[in-house]
Amino acid sequence: KQGAMGKQFSQQVEQSAKLVTDPVVTEYINRLGQNLVRNSDAQVPFTIKVIDSDEINAFALPGGFFYVNSGLILKADDEAELAGVMAHEIAHVAARHGTKQATKADIAQMAMIPIAIMLPYGWAGYGIYEGLNFAVPLAFLRFSRKDEAQADFLGLQYMYKAGYDPNAFVSFFEKIEAENRRHPG
């Protein structure tokens, strides 16, 4: 079920987004991601693609459909920082955070989420979309603090098992938070 749902949502994402097709970039990100997946608890194969977007973001859909924005790739100072963000998203899929608490009604409405993600301004665009009173549940976008903590914990383990310094994950998020405080909005 998760794979079919994820595949449907991934098709919507790919219709809405411009994918990077440079084979050097796509092969590198796929190799990095697959190494993390091999060192994770994930029970599904991952399909990893790069979206041509300046947003510093990555997201994974149920069933292992995983997208990394080019903005994230460019913002990371080294491979370990990029691996940290990717490992966190892989952990959300491995722990089934997006679907384990979803009701049937939520799942029916989730079909709009990939479209919302692709709005201008990324996640801020999603906030605007939500503010327009569209009833879109946030099961894939907003996880509980417990789910985020678990994804952090698992992601750090996956990074370490894959040979990366887990401190890079922490330093990358601190760098992004500091930048957001300097340039809010």
Side-chain angles (χ1 to χ4, degrees), residues 88-145:
H88 176 91
E89 294 302 323
I90 290 166
H92 278 304
V93 173
R96 297 180 54 226
H97 290 156
T99 57
K100 70 181 179 184
Q101 296 175 358
T103 66
K104 288 181 183 177
D106 288 340
I107 291 169
Q109 291 180 342
M110 284 179 198
M112 293 303 294
I113 289 174
I115 295 163
I117 292 170
M118 294 300 122
L119 286 172
Y121 315 111
W123 298 119
Y126 183 82
I128 293 165
Y129 182 84
E130 187 184 39
L132 296 173
N133 295 321
F134 287 95
V136 180
L138 299 176
F140 293 150
L141 303 181
R142 281 196 203 142
F143 299 111
S144 70
R145 285 188 176 143

Side-chain angles (χ1 to χ4, degrees), residues 27-182:
E27 192 277 330
Y28 169 73
I29 295 301
N30 188 57
R31 187 169 23 92
L32 171 58
Q34 296 302 341
N35 183 34
L36 291 164
V37 169
R38 275 192 304 280
N39 287 284
S40 78
D41 302 311
Q43 300 295 311
V44 296
F46 273 66
T47 302
I48 304 169
K49 297 187 179 181
V50 180
I51 294 176
D52 186 3
S53 169
D54 292 338
E55 289 288 318
I56 300 167
N57 196 21
F59 62 95
L61 300 170
F65 297 91
F66 188 15
Y67 297 90
V68 178
N69 285 6
S70 57
L72 171 63
I73 298 166
L74 295 172
K75 189 66 176 177
D77 288 335
D78 57 35
E79 187 171 286
E81 287 185 351
L82 183 56
V85 177
M86 292 176 72
H88 176 91
E89 294 302 323
I90 290 166
H92 278 304
V93 173
R96 297 180 54 226
H97 290 156
T99 57
K100 70 181 179 184
Q101 296 175 358
T103 66
K104 288 181 183 177
D106 288 340
I107 291 169
Q109 291 180 342
M110 284 179 198
M112 293 303 294
I113 289 174
I115 295 163
I117 292 170
M118 294 300 122
L119 286 172
Y121 315 111
W123 298 119
Y126 183 82
I128 293 165
Y129 182 84
E130 187 184 39
L132 296 173
N133 295 321
F134 287 95
V136 180
L138 299 176
F140 293 150
L141 303 181
R142 281 196 203 142
F143 299 111
S144 70
R145 285 188 176 143
K146 180 181 171 192
D147 287 349
E148 287 297 343
Q150 183 182 26
D152 287 346
F153 180 72
L154 292 173
L156 290 171
Q157 289 180 34
Y158 302 164
M159 280 183 78
Y160 182 77
K161 285 169 62 178
Y164 295 100
D165 179 0
N167 290 310
F169 178 73
V170 177
S171 66
F172 184 71
F173 278 103
E174 287 174 347
K175 178 173 65 176
I176 298 301
E177 273 189 20
E179 191 172 293
N180 287 341
R181 281 193 298 272
R182 281 194 304 274

